[in-house]
Amino acid sequence: MLMNDPQSASRQCGDCPIRHRAVCARCEADELERLDQIKYYRNFEAGQTVIWSGDKMDFVGSVVSGIATLTQTMEDGRTQMVGLLLPSDFVGRPGRNDAAYDVVAVTDIVMCCFRKKPFEDMMADTPHVAQRLLEMTLDELDAAREWMLVLGRKTAREKIASLLAIIARRDASLNMVGIAGPMTFELPLTREAMADYLGLTLETVSRQVSALKKDGLITLEGKRRVTIHDFNRLLDEAGDDSDGGMLA
Amino acid sequence: MLMNDPQSASRQCGDCPIRHRAVCARCEADELERLDQIKYYRNFEAGQTVIWSGDKMDFVGSVVSGIATLTQTMEDGRTQMVGLLLPSDFVGRPGRNDAAYDVVAVTDIVMCCFRKKPFEDMMADTPHVAQRLLEMTLDELDAAREWMLVLGRKTAREKIASLLAIIARRDASLNMVGIAGPMTFELPLTREAMADYLGLTLETVSRQVSALKKDGLITLEGKRRVTIHDFNRLLDEAGDDSDGGMLA
DNA sequence: TGTTTTCCTTGACCCAGATCAAACCGCCAA
DNA sequence: TTGGCGGTTTGATCTGGGTCAAGGAAAACA
């Protein structure tokens, strides 16, 4: 099930689930039309590599559904995740020919791809795409910088708490629920992927997750289903300000 | 010497040292004219804080000369540098009112500032500024991601070697010299700032610098003047591919 | 239905880098 | 000329998280 299937290929931008968040968010009807003509869908299975670092990249695109990772690898095999790609996130860089990172599908994913050249042409003469891409890139830069604080200065326990907080918050906003009361969600990452994300070993991840469980901060159902009982307490453990700006 | 001085205030964009690298790099004569009208220069002394995280920010701007840092701080005082601002680098984010990070002048610096509102207006109706800013932001994102690998996976010695390599490379490109043969430059950062950059303590930084010296990779003149004898050997120590693409 | 495989947990031990402490080295000011 | 001070070095010790090793659990396969 790797190729375009008729169902997804026939999808119209109008009812696209990421219509309001992706690079195309600002586009007018006529611009969408134009994007429609250069777009195509691709599916990848969980575990599949979308692009290898250094490979020639003739497309850019958005994650429509599923989760992927951006990873850097050193010659000796050490790896560090440098990006977590969620639905609506953009892959690839206009003006660059080779991929700078490995992109790997964590779950099954659907991508909305644009051939690179036409997309770049479009960026040059319709400002809405470029504007939105700038906005998204600035957001990613902020996220990368927050992540640098996590990697550089937080303890293993704080790192795990930070990751759980990020995932929980994202999940809450996706499902349009608040962060009061218990929050339950599925961990999209294996222990190893979490370790890659946080600059830890998988053993340390496992130990710290167990510790948070023992301390009553979280409950596990199986290995992946997590319940957070008190989000603000979790933020404390993450070393973050828990002044998340609630009600009065 | 904090305020605009007549000399710098009268500077024309035409002979600006960062003309070809900053946000204004792509601007036509008429666009420069317009920027000229909303720009003003500010000087800061070494050690001075340009903006505090959380402060209202009514301007954006470029570093014209000198070096500044972008830093994040946790409540308990742990800090992590998340950006190193060199001449032509951009400060501030269009569309955001509050500063997200502390910006501190490391050396005396000159900044070319634009009032935020007029700058945003200009971004909206002349594409050249926005295009260049997108390009610069994508570059910064790449730099941030490389840094994440350094923070997450490299040893203390590799971190120091990586930092020296970055500074040496930047210095070489600034002075238009190659990376063959010995390279000598002034370290712009204190040991503590280096530690903040690399997620280490200043003691570890000091020890690893001494170790690199003892191993003959670098020579020190005083505490700040560094000579690298073999750049590729340094890259090896940094754990980077030293396939820097030289001649045949 | 048993067997492999993948993912996860837990224990024992070790080491790189943190922490704590002391002293050094210009440099400027009194 | 002395003393304070910011930046730096170096030593001694401690510890968080890495490494190595041995199972467990549940899904995938045969």
Side-chain angles (χ1 to χ4, degrees), chain A residues 21-35:
Chain A
R21 302 202 66 212
V23 255
C24 50
R26 287 251 214 292
C27 289
E28 309 286 349
D30 57 327
E31 294 165 331
L32 274 190
E33 187 96 10
R34 188 164 161 200
L35 279 176

Side-chain angles (χ1 to χ4, degrees), chain A:
Chain A
M1 187 106 335
L2 168 59
M3 286 291 80
N4 307 341
D5 68 80
Q7 193 191 6
S8 58
S10 68
R11 224 185 256 153
Q12 291 301 301
C13 289
D15 43 71
C16 176
I18 58 167
R19 168 73 183 88
H20 53 301
R21 302 202 66 212
V23 255
C24 50
R26 287 251 214 292
C27 289
E28 309 286 349
D30 57 327
E31 294 165 331
L32 274 190
E33 187 96 10
R34 188 164 161 200
L35 279 176
D36 240 330
Q37 280 165 21
I38 60 172
K39 84 161 196 253
Y40 56 98
Y41 289 97
R42 290 182 69 183
N43 298 307
F44 296 89
E45 296 177 337
Q48 236 189 323
T49 296
V50 177
I51 318 149
W52 294 99
S53 167
D55 274 9
K56 182 138 175 190
M57 218 182 146
D58 52 357
F59 68 94
V60 297
S62 304
V63 176
V64 177
S65 64
I67 294 180
T69 58
L70 233 51
T71 310
Q72 252 182 331
T73 306
M74 296 172 64
E75 306 99 278
D76 64 5
R78 281 175 282 176
T79 65
Q80 174 65 54
M81 200 188 297
V82 296
L84 191 56
L85 300 171
L86 306 173
S88 84
D89 282 342
F90 189 77
V91 178
R93 170 171 175 167
R96 169 183 289 161
N97 289 316
D98 303 317
Y101 314 101
D102 295 335
V103 179
V104 179
V106 171
T107 63
D108 289 358
I109 63 175
V110 177
M111 292 205 43
C112 171
C113 303
F114 308 102
R115 282 179 298 121
K116 196 152 141 300
K117 184 63 172 53
F119 186 84
E120 284 168 0
D121 292 345
M122 182 144 177
M123 285 227 331
D125 49 47
T126 76
H128 287 153
V129 174
Q131 275 169 16
R132 177 65 187 142
L133 188 57
L134 173 58
E135 216 172 58
M136 292 173 71
T137 307
L138 285 165
D139 284 343
E140 269 186 279
L141 186 56
D142 279 343
R145 285 174 167 164
E146 191 173 326
W147 199 336
M148 284 172 52
L149 177 66
V150 173
L151 289 172
R153 293 301 183 192
K154 291 197 178 178
T155 64
R157 170 181 263 244
E158 288 171 333
K159 284 178 175 182
I160 299 290
S162 299
L163 177 57
L164 291 177
I166 288 171
I167 295 174
R169 199 177 337 235
R170 195 241 313 140
D171 195 74
S173 93
L174 193 71
N175 300 330
M176 312 276 276
V177 300
I179 57 166
M183 310 165 76
T184 300
F185 55 90
E186 200 77 19
L187 266 183
L189 303 174
T190 65
R191 298 290 184 263
E192 185 177 26
M194 292 171 68
D196 266 3
Y197 189 108
L198 299 169
L200 296 171
T201 59
L202 67 102
E203 292 95 329
T204 298
V205 170
S206 182
R207 276 187 249 274
Q208 295 297 337
V209 169
S210 299
L212 289 179
K213 186 171 77 175
K214 188 159 67 63
D215 296 348
L217 266 139
I218 59 172
T219 312
L220 292 184
E221 241 177 283
K223 295 164 190 262
R224 297 291 195 89
R225 192 153 194 79
V226 178
T227 302
I228 294 169
H229 299 102
D230 181 341
F231 191 72
N232 284 320
R233 231 182 108 209
L234 186 71
L235 286 185
D236 272 359
E237 291 290 345
D240 292 346
D241 261 323
S242 54
D243 64 357
M246 307 280 289
L247 70 167

Side-chain angles (χ1 to χ4, degrees), chain A residues 72 148, chain B residues 21 67-68 80-87 89 139-151 154 156-175 177-179 183-189 193-194 196-199 212 218 226 228 230-241:
Chain A
Q72 252 182 331
M148 284 172 52
Chain B
R21 303 202 65 213
I67 296 180
Q80 174 65 52
M81 199 188 297
V82 296
L84 190 56
L85 300 172
L86 306 173
D89 282 341
D139 284 343
E140 268 186 281
L141 185 56
D142 280 344
R145 284 173 168 164
E146 191 173 325
W147 199 338
M148 284 172 51
L149 177 67
V150 172
L151 288 173
K154 291 197 177 177
R157 170 180 263 243
E158 289 171 332
K159 285 178 175 182
I160 299 291
S162 299
L163 177 57
L164 292 177
I166 289 172
I167 295 175
R169 205 182 328 242
R170 194 242 312 141
D171 194 75
S173 93
L174 193 71
N175 300 332
V177 301
I179 57 167
M183 309 165 76
T184 300
F185 55 90
E186 200 77 19
L187 266 184
L189 303 175
M194 292 172 68
D196 266 2
Y197 188 108
L198 298 169
L212 290 180
I218 59 172
V226 179
I228 294 169
D230 182 341
F231 191 73
N232 284 321
R233 231 183 109 210
L234 187 71
L235 286 186
D236 272 359
E237 291 289 347
D240 291 346
D241 262 322

